[in-house]
Amino acid sequence: MNLLILGSGAREHAFCYFIAKNPSVGQIYVAPGNGGTSSCAVNVNINPLDFESVWNFCIANDVSTILPCNEDPLVNGIVDFIQHKNMTTGIDIRAIGPNAYASQLEGSKDFAKNFMDRNNIPTAKYKTFDENNVHSVESYLDEITPPYVLKADGLAAGKGVVITSDKQEALQLVNEMILNKMFGEASKKVVIENFLQGIEISVFAITDGVNYKILGSAKDYKQIFEGDKGPNTGGMGAISPVPFADSDFIQKVEDRILKPTLLGLENENNPFQGFLFLGLMNCNNEPYVIEYNVRMGDPETEAIFPRLKVDLLNLLQAIPEKKIDHVELFYDQRVAATVYLVSEGYPGEYPKGIPVSINTESNGDDIFLFHGGTKQIENNQIVTNGGRVLAVTCLANNLNEAIEKSQKTASLIAFQGVYFRKDIGNDLLTYTHN
Ligand code: AMP
Ligand code: GLY
């Protein structure tokens, strides 16, 4: 079976690396891929949003399964497009992921909030504004308690959420978003929601629409600087599992959030197939949804997958066959710590093409290197090609050791201007007993 993975980050390298472990997989292609995926797959130069080219490539190369790893193709309807093509041609190519309707859980904050409302899923109270009711934003801000959480409705490359306690600033920002299209079409609508006090955690599941398996919990470190300071990034590191996410907490997430989400979409005739990422706030041990994502996270995948004792290819194949409940999934009891090495200047402007010297390697047991923004040039030389360059994951018997090992391994990778956070996971040590 030939497979096409869409995307170019360390998450995609992790998918590629673990899928390739199944000897029955045929050729793996990654579009566009990176300097790491080229060691376990063939990189192809196709834009994942050019669905017609994706389809043509699959036909020409006997690809039977497409795995979109990031949200853009899913929200833009790649699953519906491929299904339509299958119907009109009689060919059967499987695109793994939710359809465009279900992908609105990530693609529209307003859709997600409405959906949670009608399915009694715990989340912060909110109201949506657009150009028709923008005049009433001020009176709404007077009703709620700061800080104010302002969210552009659509996809805004992780930049669409602003939190401020200054009412005037909030008012000005909402006006900027709606009337001056601060985030383009994505901010035609703005959700204003109550601030949730707590600690963030994400829970990941794979589902065929009815059955699901929990893949794990993870905590992501979004800000560029230590102590969660500075601008947001795609994620600077992750820990999995999260020590406070005990079985009681996970049970609450399943009962109050995951099951009603899957049932709600099934009832709306658009069952969710694929990976569901629940971005949660733990408020005194009660989970609330901050956001849904309709795909795995990056770097959360790099922390979660090395702990999974499962054949990833079999797991993926169980989605369209609606047999997720037949797959046995075990977890490595060790803790995973992932640290992202990034380019100087990231998340702002950064240089590309800088040679990377990697004085360590994945051993398939407790050390994994997943390439993100890298490219392989002549003589097997790896150079930087993006902001988040390489993710290092280390497993160890406890969190403290996993943190130390990931820091030590990260320091064995060098390139001019390299930066990584030295505090990934430190905040979670207070929740552990070792
Ligand atoms: P989102 O894109 O919705 O995940 O929001 C980005 C970040 O804003 C989250 O990771 C949280 O740190 C923060 N955030 C979002 N919604 C809330 C909320 N209701 N209360 C507190 N923090 C929030
Ligand atoms: N690390 C956050 C995300 O993948 O959205």
Side-chain angles (χ1 to χ4, degrees), residues 220 234 277 293 295 297-300:
D220 178 21
F277 170 156
N293 292 314
R295 48 161 178 93
D298 186 356
E300 293 90 335

Side-chain angles (χ1 to χ4, degrees), residues 39 62 101 115 118 125 144 157 163 167 184 254 261 273 320:
S39 67
D62 205 16
Y101 183 88
F115 175 83
R118 42 180 199 272
K125 281 184 71 175
I144 59 175
I163 301 179
K167 194 183 115 188
E254 291 187 48
T261 300
Q273 295 203 325

Side-chain angles (χ1 to χ4, degrees), residues 31 83 114 155-156 158 164 172 185 195 303 322 333 365 421 426:
Q83 276 168 359
N114 270 310
L155 295 180
T164 174
Q172 198 183 335
E185 290 296 301
F195 184 81
K322 298 204 169 57
Q333 291 308 308
D365 173 36
R421 272 179 65 164
N426 288 354

Side-chain angles (χ1 to χ4, degrees), residues 73-111:
L74 293 166
V75 171
N76 283 294
I78 191 163
V79 170
D80 313 62
F81 178 90
I82 299 294
Q83 276 168 359
H84 179 74
K85 282 281 196 190
N86 285 338
M87 256 168 20
T88 51
T89 60
I91 295 169
D92 183 20
I93 294 178
R94 291 168 171 185
I96 295 184
N99 66 12
Y101 183 88
S103 296
Q104 289 179 95
L105 285 184
E106 177 164 1
S108 165
K109 303 270 188 205
D110 180 46
F111 175 90

Side-chain angles (χ1 to χ4, degrees), residues 55-69:
W55 171 264
N56 290 338
F57 179 85
C58 292
I59 301 293
N61 294 280
D62 205 16
V63 169
S64 59
T65 303
I66 305 169
L67 179 64
C69 289

Side-chain angles (χ1 to χ4, degrees), residues 311-324:
D311 182 313
L312 185 57
L313 185 65
N314 286 349
L315 190 64
L316 287 173
Q317 284 170 327
I319 300 176
E321 289 166 9
K322 298 204 169 57
K323 287 188 177 156
I324 284 290

Side-chain angles (χ1 to χ4, degrees), residues 109 124 149 151 161 163 193-196 200 222 281 290-291:
K109 303 270 188 205
V149 181
K151 299 186 172 183
V161 176
I163 301 179
E193 68 177 39
N194 286 6
F195 184 81
L196 294 169
E200 281 186 66
K222 287 207 171 81
M281 192 68 88
I290 297 182
E291 64 164 350

Side-chain angles (χ1 to χ4, degrees), residues 68-69 75-76 83 118 141 223 227-228 237 240 265 300 324 327 362 366 398 400 433:
C69 289
V75 171
N76 283 294
Q83 276 168 359
R118 42 180 199 272
L141 294 177
Q223 282 162 287
D228 295 331
S240 180
L265 284 167
E300 293 90 335
I324 284 290
V327 181
S362 291
D366 62 345
N398 61 50
N400 200 18
H433 304 292

